[in-house]
């Protein structure tokens, strides 16, 4: 079994700047494995607002760099200029197209996506209606048309860190008029993704 322990030469502290969508899961993995990583989470709805995402991500990275901290980024390809930002800040990010791929792995993600899933995590479920209406407006018929054009069901992802968000998930599914399914998810793939990003950044720091 692979151990997710960093070697002695890899004990330099890092600061992870990233999406708050899996805050509980990321904090749990960092704490459990004793990784020397501080976290700075941004609003999980920023992927809906590219200008805000660009501004807040770059400002957060600059803030920590000004303190002499070495950073890495917990985001997928959530902004078309993401690679440019990484180059500018001489850092790296977690591997994966988006946070759901990081959690599920590419194969399971694509399997459910091809069946018509819209993936719902706890953080989004708890802020669903204001988040969706801020993005798409208050016309529920239009919102439902948008969701129905691409999705056949809502797939709520329950991790070992999730609280009971069944009521919020059902309310979210009802709001867009999609059936609600559930999937229990472990943290093995997310752990691998985080470990690889930490190791990559520490390797960068020593070269």
């Amino acid at each position: 079994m692979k151990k997710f322990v960093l070697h002695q030469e890899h004990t330099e502290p890092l600061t992870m700047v990233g999406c708050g969508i899996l805050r509980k899961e990321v904090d749990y993995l960092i704490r459990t494995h004793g990784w020397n990583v501080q976290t700075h989470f941004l609003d999980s709805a920023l992927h809906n607002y590219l200008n805000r995402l660009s501004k807040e991500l770059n400002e957060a990275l600059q803030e920590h760099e000004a303190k002499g901290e070495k950073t890495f980024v917990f985001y997928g390809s959530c902004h078309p200029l993401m690679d440019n930002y990484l180059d500018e800040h001489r850092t790296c990010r977690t591997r994966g197209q988006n946070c759901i791929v990081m959690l599920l792995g590419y194969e399971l993600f694509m399997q459910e996506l091809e069946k018509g899933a819209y993936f719902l995590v706890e953080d989004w479920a708890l802020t669903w209606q204001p988040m969706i209406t801020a993005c798409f407006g208050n016309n529920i018929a239009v919102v439902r048309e948008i969701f129905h054009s691409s999705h056949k069901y809502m797939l709520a992802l329950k991790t070992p860190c999730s609280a009971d968000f069944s009521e919020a998930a059902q309310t979210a599914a009802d709001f867009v008029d999609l059936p609600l399914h559930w999937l229990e998810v472990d943290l093995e793939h997310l752990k691998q993704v985080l470990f690889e990003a930490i190791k990559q950044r520490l390797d960068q720091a020593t070269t």
Side-chain angles (χ1 to χ4, degrees), residues 67-79:
K67 300 175 185 175
E69 300 172 14
K70 288 188 166 59
T71 62
F72 74 99
V73 171
F74 178 61
Y75 267 106
S77 303
C78 303
H79 194 286

Side-chain angles (χ1 to χ4, degrees), residues 21-127:
I21 189 66
L22 297 174
R23 175 192 301 259
K24 292 198 293 187
E25 290 77 9
V26 169
D27 278 343
Y28 171 80
L29 289 169
I30 290 171
R31 184 174 65 252
T32 300
H33 294 283
W35 296 330
N36 194 1
V37 176
Q38 301 299 313
T39 56
H40 181 158
F41 290 108
L42 303 178
D43 187 332
S44 64
L46 284 182
H47 66 283
N48 293 321
Y49 309 96
L50 293 183
N51 288 341
R52 282 185 58 202
L53 173 56
S54 173
K55 180 176 184 291
E56 294 188 31
L57 175 59
N58 281 291
E59 285 180 351
L61 289 170
Q62 289 164 4
E63 173 191 331
H64 292 288
E65 289 160 7
K67 300 175 185 175
E69 300 172 14
K70 288 188 166 59
T71 62
F72 74 99
V73 171
F74 178 61
Y75 267 106
S77 303
C78 303
H79 194 286
L81 297 177
M82 183 63 73
D83 288 341
N84 294 26
Y85 301 152
L86 299 177
D87 290 341
E88 288 170 13
H89 294 280
R90 298 181 181 179
T91 188
C92 64
R93 71 169 177 88
T94 40
R95 170 178 55 86
Q97 175 186 346
N98 55 51
C99 59
I100 306 300
V101 172
M102 294 178 203
L103 182 61
L104 299 182
Y106 182 76
E107 289 185 7
L108 181 54
F109 169 79
M110 288 304 300
Q111 177 183 315
E112 293 293 343
L113 187 67
E114 288 169 2
K115 291 191 291 187
Y118 180 91
F119 301 95
L120 183 70
V121 291
E122 181 181 5
D123 188 83
W124 285 341
L126 297 176
T127 58

Side-chain angles (χ1 to χ4, degrees), residues 122-163:
E122 181 181 5
D123 188 83
W124 285 341
L126 297 176
T127 58
W128 184 254
Q129 186 168 338
M131 179 179 72
I132 292 301
T133 54
C135 226
F136 300 117
N138 290 304
N139 188 324
I140 193 166
V142 171
V143 172
R144 288 177 174 177
E145 183 179 350
I146 291 169
F147 275 81
H148 290 186
S149 66
S150 304
H151 306 290
K152 295 179 179 176
Y153 60 99
M154 187 169 279
L155 185 63
L157 306 177
K158 185 171 178 59
T159 77
C161 300
S162 300

